[in-house]
Structure formats: structure tokens, C-alpha cells
Amino acid sequence: MSSRRGTPTGSICSNSAVTGEIRLQGIPAAPGVVVGRIRILCKARMSEAVQPRRPAYGNLPRVNDNREAHGTGEGVNSALATLSDAVEATRTDIKQTMERLAQRTTTGEEAEILATHLLVLDDPEFIGHIKHEIRDNKRDPHEAVVIAAEAIARELEALEDEYLKARAQDIRDVAERVLSHLDIGPGAPCQDAATCLDFGPGTVVVAEDLGPYDIMRFPPENVIGFVTEKGSATSHSAILARGLGFPSVVGAVGITAVATGLEGKSILLDGDTGVVLLNPSPVSLESYGPRIEESAKRRSQGSLHLQSRERRVVTADGVTIEIAANVGSMQDAKLAAQVGANGIGLLRTELLFVGRDSEPTEDEQYEALANIVSIMPERRTVIRTLDAGGDKKIPYIDLSPEGNPFLGTRGIRLTLAHPAIFKRQLRAILRAACHGRVAVMFPMVATVEEVRQAKSLVREAREELRRAGFKVPDIEVGIMIEVPCAALIADILAREVDFFSIGTNDLVQYVLAVDRLNPRVSPMYQPLHPALVRLIQRTVEAAHEAGIWVGMCGEMAGDISATELLVGLGLDELSVAVSSIENIREVISKISSGSARELARRCLQCSSETEVRALLSRGGPCSSFP
Ligand code: PEP
Ligand code: MG
């Protein structure tokens, strides 16, 4: 049987008289196969439960429509008071959910999401924007929340920074939570559909979409999985499902329409492949039997950690290349573990510092880093020290405006200029090293003195910790090669450190004098320019001559059209976005290191990017990939 994604197949005359199996293809979100009874959780059902007075969150009123402004001064005050009650109720609600979660076996990530939600509730921009809508645009509280949240979420989505982009979902989740408290008012019997509806044993929830709160409130003894129309494998819902161990499928387009009328009927969902079978046939049930049993066993053992074993990546002729992940959060790190990455090749620590009013304490940093390191303790986690400056501003670190910030106080220059901040981070990193295999890496290095100063601060931090009674393991110390002069003196720098990681995102912009953020010059941003190929080769050679390893963590490492060249140039590790890991592995498995070296040799003789590209697109193993 075959079906395209979202296209149901099977014999449906009317849903209430279904005789055959209906198959839908969605996106696998959390592994495991379950068979249960359909329970539809749709907007109508939610509204029955919570009786909202306003349209659903998604139905956004337009800011400049010509609605009559409502609200006198008194009305405004009462609306502000209503808002304040709902915000406080939301805060209590989130804290209670955190307490309940603490009693369940989870990965800890759920609590992290909720902690972020508490920060959103305290965010003066978020609350200020809602109040502005009430006060100045005479919106009622419900509309004000929707308008403010949507405006901020869209602004975040427009940003380059992936982490900040993903914060849009937090804003929307919190807004939904506040709305639910506005809608039901104090003293209402229940707070959301998931707690109001009773779920019988063996329930598979079918919904258009589910927020984190819905999922966290599913009674684990009765709800065994869920399927949604919307969502992606990296949405909060999917992350939570993996953490809480609910096999689930998201993005199953058409599921709610198809399931309507089938409430209580049988449904099979395969969270490994994304297949959903409504009214599964005896043949399907039989063929899925062993996997259903296996999932049930895993659930009963409470084995919610879905970390897969590290996967070795070798070329067709047996040369091992490490494929590590670039991560910025606990979520990313868990996904990396789940795809069997050979470690974390770049942990960007800026994310611990942005979006707050003051520097995280050493303990806060230690906890966050230790949590990430503990995910794959036996595989290496390369923690990059704070790479602020340039386009990454941190309001509480004194940075007077610079005419050309990308050429200003960035990366290691900034941390060396603020040794107290740097030391606190280094101490946190050294302490986190007790939880796994850690390496520290300095960004934007241009001179040997910078490396020596940074290393001496590492030594000081280590001594301080030892004196304070901490056990501090030895860790590898490395640098990013992302400034042209560093590549040119790679042989000198190689004597000072344990490894290099080539940051092509910056190296390209500095070598070619092309701002990486300026769309007007983006055609000139050419990672395959012969100058880059030569600098990479020079860096790799210098590293190997000094007996240290060399990786690449810029975006070029994840570009499959460049993989054969990079293998041929001799890189030991490619650190890429989690979503690219599988593709890169597949490409590498078809490469022969001998022909890759030959390809690299020829690329080094090219006189232009066009020539390099032409060579790369000529036949090699990469040509069979999109
Ligand atoms: C790079 O410059 O290639 C890199 C990985 O660092 P970032 O993108 O964080 O500047
Ligand atoms: Mg960089």
C-alpha cells in the first residue's frame, strides 16, 4: 500500500461507516508503535471545555482595522486588572506544571521549556506591548494578548539567529496560556481541554495541533500517543513527546477530518516512520505486532531516553570521519544524541547570555553546560567561549558602539577585555568537564598572544577551582580558525593548542571582504573560492604536521556539494546542524578517500570559484544527492 504524505488511502464512503483501513503519512516525531482508541481533541472540543469568549488564538484581529474602539478610562483599568490576574494565574499554573513534571521521569528539557515561559511572562516588552494595546488602542485583553504576541513572534521569526527565531513559539505558547486564563476567569472548574476531557486507557489523541501544556497534562497512564495535523519534528510538541515517551506523529495533514466520526475506533501510529493507520486491518496489526510489543515493553520499563548509539562514519575505503553536531541548546544536543552524532563539535554559549538583563552566574552556566555535556558524556563536547560582539550584542556587557563591529571587539577580544566575565565562564566550563568529555574553544583568534592569554586564564580558573576543593579534569584547548591571519599562521598557532576548528562563516567573509549578513553582496560570498580552498588546506596541513586534529564547524561543513573536497583536504571532523548529519553520513559512505584527495589536488589548482564548482559537480558521489 502506498500513499503520499497527507493523502489518505483506503475505502472511505463516510467516516461513520468505515469498513477499510485508512492510511496517512505524517512526520515521525517520537519513536514507538502503539495501537489505541481515537480521541479527537479539536478546537470545538476545547471550546466546549473552556468556553472561550473570543475567537481562537490563530484568528488574529488586524491592528489597523476599523473596529470601534471600546473602553473608557474605567474600562481600561478593569481590562488591565483582568490581564494582571490572568498573568498571575498563568504564572501559578506554569509553576504547578513544573512541580508535577518533577515527579515524572523526564529528560529535564520540559522543565527548561517551562522556565523559558516564566521568563516570557516577566518580559517587559511582552507585557508592555499587551498593556499598550489595551491602554492606547483600546483593545480588550484577549485581543491585546493576541496582537502583542503575534507582533513579537513575527519579529523574532524574521531574525537570522536560529535560537531567537525559535523563541517565537515560546511567545505563542505563553500567549495561549494567558488566553486560557482570560477565557475561563477565576474559579472555573478546569483550566484546559487536556485536563477537562477524560482520557480512557489506551487513548491516542488526534488533534489539529497541540501545545506543550496539552501534552504535559496528558495522563501518562491513559494517553499512549498522539497525532497532529500541524507541527514539525523540531517543534516543542515533538521535543516533549520524545522526552515524555509518547510515540507520536505530527504533520499528518487531513487527520482530523478523516478521524471525525471515528471516535473510539482503533488507530495505529508508527512514530518511527510517520505512518498512521485508522481502523488498521488484521494483516497490518499482525505485521506491526512485534514492534507494538517492543514499544509497550519500553514504555513499561520507563526507558524514555531515546539516545541512539554513536554511529561510526567511514568512507567507502574505510577512512573514519567524525560527524559532530553544532548545537545551541539542550534540545539540539538531545537531537544530536538521538541521531548518533560523534559528539558536539560546536556548542555556542552565547545563548546562555542573550535575552537577559544580567550575566548568568557561574553556577547557572555550570548547570546549563553540565546538562548538555551529560547527554553524551563519552563523546566530546566542544564548548566555545562567549562569541559576543559583531552582530551579537549583549546589553549588560559594556560595549560602546563601534563603527564596524565585525572588525571590532568580537569573540576572544571581548572576553579578554572582560577577564572577570571570561573567568566565570571558564570556571563553569571546567566544572562541567566533570560530567563528560569536554574541550574548550576560543573564537576569533588572530594572534598567538591571544591564545596564550586565554590559556593562562584557563590555568588561573583551574587553580582557583582546585583551591576551592573542586576536582578539575584536564581538557583539550582549541581555537577557531576564522580570521585569515590565523589560517596564515596556523603552523605557529598549532604549537599552542590541541585542535583547530575552521569557522567558514566568518573566514569567508573576512577573506573575501563580503559581509555575511548583507544580501546585496551575497553572490560574492563564495566558500568555494580558491582562496578559501587554499586556506583550508594550509590549516589542515599545519594541524597535522603539529599532530593535532582539525575540524570544520562553519556552514560549509554541512554542504554536501563540498563534502568530497573537505574529505580530500584531510579534515578529521565535520560539525554540522543536526538535520544535516544523516545526509553527510550518506555522502561520506560513498566517497573514496583516494579520489577525494585527487579532487582536492585539482581544486587547489583552480583559478575561480566557478572552476571549483564545475569540478565538484562532475560526477562524484555527491551528484546523486539533491
Ligand atoms: C563560523 O564563523 O563559521 C562559526 C561557526 O561561528 P559563528 O557562525 O557562530 O560566527
Ligand atoms: Mg564565527
Side-chain angles (χ1 to χ4, degrees):
M1 191 187 310
S2 71
S3 70
R4 281 182 298 120
R5 177 161 167 238
T7 311
T9 59
S11 52
I12 329 170
C13 299
S14 90
N15 286 346
S16 52
V18 165
T19 51
E21 174 179 286
I22 304 168
R23 179 190 169 102
L24 280 168
Q25 179 68 51
I27 301 164
V33 183
V34 285
V35 181
R37 305 258 149 232
I38 298 173
R39 191 81 165 103
I40 302 173
L41 195 60
C42 58
K43 290 282 177 210
R45 178 65 61 68
M46 287 203 190
S47 57
E48 255 169 47
V50 298
Q51 298 168 347
R53 299 189 306 249
R54 286 275 156 192
Y57 173 72
N59 302 339
L60 179 66
R62 304 236 330 250
V63 180
N64 334 324
D65 63 12
N66 287 328
R67 289 168 321 103
E68 245 175 61
H70 73 92
T72 57
E74 219 174 275
V76 166
N77 285 340
S78 124
L80 289 172
T82 306
L83 171 73
S84 158
D85 288 346
V87 168
E88 280 323 303
T90 305
R91 194 186 315 281
T92 310
D93 175 13
I94 295 177
K95 286 187 175 159
Q96 284 171 353
T97 311
M98 285 171 95
E99 278 162 25
R100 274 199 305 275
L101 269 177
Q103 287 150 25
R104 289 174 67 177
T105 314
T106 68
T107 56
E109 192 169 359
E110 304 72 27
E112 203 181 293
I113 293 174
L114 293 182
T116 311
H117 287 186
L118 282 178
L119 292 179
V120 171
L121 267 190
D122 288 329
D123 181 354
E125 191 190 342
F126 178 56
I127 299 297
H129 198 140
I130 302 173
K131 287 186 178 165
H132 157 75
E133 289 298 334
I134 292 175
R135 214 180 282 124
D136 305 324
N137 293 337
K138 307 292 183 282
R139 301 285 181 187
D140 77 17
H142 191 120
E143 287 174 331
V145 169
V146 174
I147 289 168
E150 207 45 36
I152 297 173
R154 286 182 188 165
E155 259 175 41
L156 288 168
E157 276 167 348
L159 296 176
E160 283 260 325
D161 186 311
E162 286 305 318
Y163 174 80
L164 293 176
K165 253 187 197 167
R167 299 287 61 80
Q169 188 56 44
D170 291 322
I171 300 281
R172 291 190 173 112
D173 289 338
V174 173
E176 269 202 13
R177 225 47 232 139
V178 176
L179 289 182
S180 77
H181 285 284
L182 281 171
D183 285 334
I184 58 179
C190 58
Q191 295 191 339
D192 59 24
T195 44
C196 292
L197 296 172
D198 68 281
F199 297 102
T203 295
V204 171
V205 174
V206 173
E208 194 184 331
D209 201 4
L210 290 171
Y213 292 93
D214 297 313
I215 295 166
M216 283 187 247
R217 285 162 187 243
F218 288 154
E221 61 286 4
N222 287 350
V223 174
I224 56 172
F226 68 81
V227 191
T228 61
E229 294 247 354
K230 297 188 179 161
S232 69
T234 51
S235 65
H236 275 166
S237 307
I239 291 164
L240 282 167
R242 288 192 282 272
L244 294 168
F246 287 116
S248 51
V249 173
V250 296
V253 180
I255 185 74
T256 46
V258 174
T260 303
L262 296 180
E263 188 110 0
K265 294 269 188 296
S266 176
I267 182 169
L268 179 152
L269 74 86
D270 181 346
D272 296 304
T273 62
V275 167
V276 181
L277 302 177
L278 293 98
N279 207 19
S281 69
V283 177
S284 298
L285 287 173
E286 199 185 327
S287 74
Y288 271 102
R291 293 184 53 214
I292 295 169
E293 267 175 38
E294 166 67 30
S295 297
K297 206 160 98 200
R298 242 193 286 150
R299 268 178 79 73
S300 69
Q301 290 165 344
S303 75
L304 302 176
H305 285 272
L306 307 166
Q307 175 166 329
S308 67
R309 257 190 285 141
E310 179 175 13
R311 282 176 56 188
R312 202 165 156 247
V313 187
V314 286
T315 59
D317 53 346
V319 174
T320 301
I321 312 283
E322 303 274 323
I323 305 299
N326 289 351
V327 310
S329 68
M330 183 90 167
Q331 281 101 310
D332 297 343
K334 281 194 184 135
L335 288 174
Q338 283 166 18
V339 298
N342 300 128
I344 292 171
L346 169 63
L347 168 56
R348 289 183 164 99
T349 54
E350 297 76 76
L351 306 179
L352 295 174
F353 289 75
V354 295
R356 39 186 304 150
D357 302 327
S358 58
E359 183 198 339
T361 63
E362 178 187 318
D363 282 349
E364 281 172 325
Q365 295 183 56
Y366 156 70
E367 251 171 58
L369 297 174
N371 281 338
I372 293 179
V373 170
S374 312
I375 292 173
M376 297 183 270
E378 72 298 347
R379 306 176 213 174
R380 181 170 44 220
T381 295
V382 178
I383 304 178
R384 181 175 75 181
T385 57
L386 182 63
D387 186 16
D391 59 333
K392 296 173 201 146
K393 298 273 177 291
I394 299 202
Y396 49 86
I397 298 184
D398 167 38
L399 249 189
S400 43
E402 294 179 303
N404 201 339
F406 269 113
L407 300 182
T409 319
R410 257 199 93 181
I412 192 80
R413 301 173 189 176
L414 181 73
T415 41
L416 286 176
H418 292 85
I421 294 177
F422 197 13
K423 275 265 221 69
R424 276 188 285 275
Q425 184 177 40
L426 292 172
R427 287 166 56 107
I429 293 172
L430 288 167
R431 286 169 61 192
C434 289
H435 298 266
R437 193 173 153 204
V438 164
V440 65
M441 176 164 78
F442 307 122
M444 284 293 293
V445 166
T447 68
V448 77
E449 287 84 3
E450 284 167 346
V451 182
R452 288 179 186 153
Q453 277 177 50
K455 276 171 49 184
S456 127
L457 287 173
V458 172
R459 274 194 299 276
E460 276 178 33
R462 177 189 299 285
E463 273 319 301
E464 286 165 13
L465 287 171
R466 283 208 176 123
R467 277 200 301 274
F470 288 94
K471 225 177 105 204
V472 194
D474 278 336
I475 63 173
E476 287 176 284
V477 176
I479 56 170
M480 293 199 61
I481 300 288
E482 53 184 347
V483 183
C485 58
L488 292 167
I489 58 163
D491 53 334
I492 299 167
L493 295 172
R495 290 181 220 133
E496 304 285 332
V497 293
D498 300 310
F499 67 94
F500 287 157
S501 185
I502 304 177
T504 49
N505 305 344
D506 279 311
L507 190 58
V508 174
Q509 78 163 345
Y510 293 130
V511 169
L512 303 181
V514 174
D515 181 348
R516 65 192 258 189
L517 301 177
N518 180 350
R520 248 194 286 171
V521 287
S522 62
M524 294 175 211
Y525 188 91
Q526 300 173 344
L528 293 172
H529 189 293
L532 267 301
V533 179
R534 288 175 186 210
L535 282 179
I536 296 168
Q537 188 256 354
R538 193 182 174 111
T539 305
V540 173
E541 214 171 81
H544 288 171
E545 263 168 30
I548 63 172
W549 65 271
V550 52
M552 176 181 282
C553 62
E555 289 304 305
M556 186 181 188
D559 174 0
I560 54 172
S561 68
T563 310
E564 190 172 8
L565 168 63
L566 299 180
V567 171
L569 288 171
L571 283 147
D572 303 299
E573 176 185 285
L574 300 177
S575 188
V576 302
V578 174
S579 54
S580 303
I581 288 182
E582 200 44 59
N583 270 355
I584 296 283
R585 270 190 192 129
E586 218 172 324
V587 174
I588 288 180
S589 67
K590 294 179 182 160
I591 287 173
S592 133
S593 65
S595 14
R597 272 195 302 277
E598 174 55 20
L599 176 72
R601 195 190 58 74
R602 292 173 64 201
C603 287
L604 284 165
Q605 289 161 6
C606 287
S607 47
S608 69
E609 191 243 12
T610 318
E611 279 180 32
V612 176
R613 275 203 180 283
L615 270 183
L616 297 190
S617 60
R618 212 173 292 158
C622 310
S623 60
S624 56
F625 288 84

